[in-house]
Amino acid sequence: MKSGFQAALEAANGIDWVNRQLAFVVRWGLLANAVLIAGNAISRKFLGVASSTMYDVQPHFFAAAVLLMAAYALKRDEHVRIDVFSGFLGPRGMAWLDLAGITVVLLPLCLAAVWVTWPDFVTSFVTGETRAGRESLSRFPAWIMKGMIPLGFLSLAAQGAAEAIRCLAFLAGVAPRPLGAEHADRQGFA
């Protein structure tokens, strides 16, 4: 039984690694977005030059960052919980609560979101859709932002599966479950 859990825990660690790398890229993306926002403001104010594409990208960039960082927040145990129950539970009760939340709420929600958003992304990619329309003159490819939605939910679902594996391993007595300040990732990006 331990060898099966060891393989599953290694897979969970692989998911952690992928989401940590994604978070590292997004962190630099947020810096790039801040520079973009500042550049747009300076360009408009002092040079009288404005770009609809650059204005269009700003909120989408931020939304993509939120979607892509959700998995990392779950990995670091910094997600929102309903503390009405958790205050009365010990470590095993918390593991059961987390496992129930992951399997009953998180995974079905994430898989439904991927299922619903994937076709729109594919259509947008195949047709070369841009953001140009009635509300925007931007020629920014729409498929990039539309692709962030299924990617974000897919990474969150994968991290949820990794956390479910950890809950099961903890409940089986095979491995400890690092949470809160004990989590190795609390020391920052590795």
Side-chain angles (χ1 to χ4, degrees), residues 33-108:
N33 194 36
V35 169
L36 174 70
I37 291 168
N40 282 339
I42 291 169
S43 155
R44 187 184 78 241
K45 185 76 172 167
F46 296 112
L47 304 175
V49 177
S51 166
S52 63
T53 299
M54 293 300 108
Y55 284 111
D56 196 34
V57 170
Q58 290 172 195
H60 289 85
F61 215 156
F62 185 72
V66 170
L67 278 168
L68 296 175
M69 291 297 284
Y72 191 66
L74 178 61
K75 175 194 176 325
R76 288 180 51 124
D77 197 37
E78 293 181 349
H79 57 287
V80 176
R81 275 199 184 91
I82 300 174
D83 287 330
V84 172
F85 301 115
S86 62
F88 300 105
L89 302 174
R92 289 187 62 79
M94 281 301 298
W96 279 112
L97 183 63
D98 284 348
L99 186 58
I102 290 166
T103 57
V104 174
V105 178
L106 181 70
L107 291 177

Side-chain angles (χ1 to χ4, degrees), residues 5 9 164-176:
F5 271 115
L9 287 168
I165 289 167
R166 288 190 183 90
C167 287
L168 290 170
F170 173 74
L171 291 168
V174 175

Side-chain angles (χ1 to χ4, degrees), residues 101-167:
I102 290 166
T103 57
V104 174
V105 178
L106 181 70
L107 291 177
L109 176 89
C110 288
L111 297 177
V114 171
W115 178 265
V116 168
T117 60
W118 183 257
D120 197 32
F121 159 69
V122 171
T123 301
S124 181
F125 181 78
V126 169
T127 62
E129 178 185 2
T130 66
R131 296 279 307 139
R134 220 180 318 174
E135 71 279 348
S136 173
L137 300 173
S138 172
R139 303 303 293 167
F140 190 77
W143 63 266
I144 293 174
M145 292 307 161
K146 288 183 178 184
M148 295 299 157
I149 299 168
L151 177 61
F153 280 107
L154 195 58
S155 67
L156 183 57
Q159 192 63 49
E163 297 306 318
I165 289 167
R166 288 190 183 90
C167 287

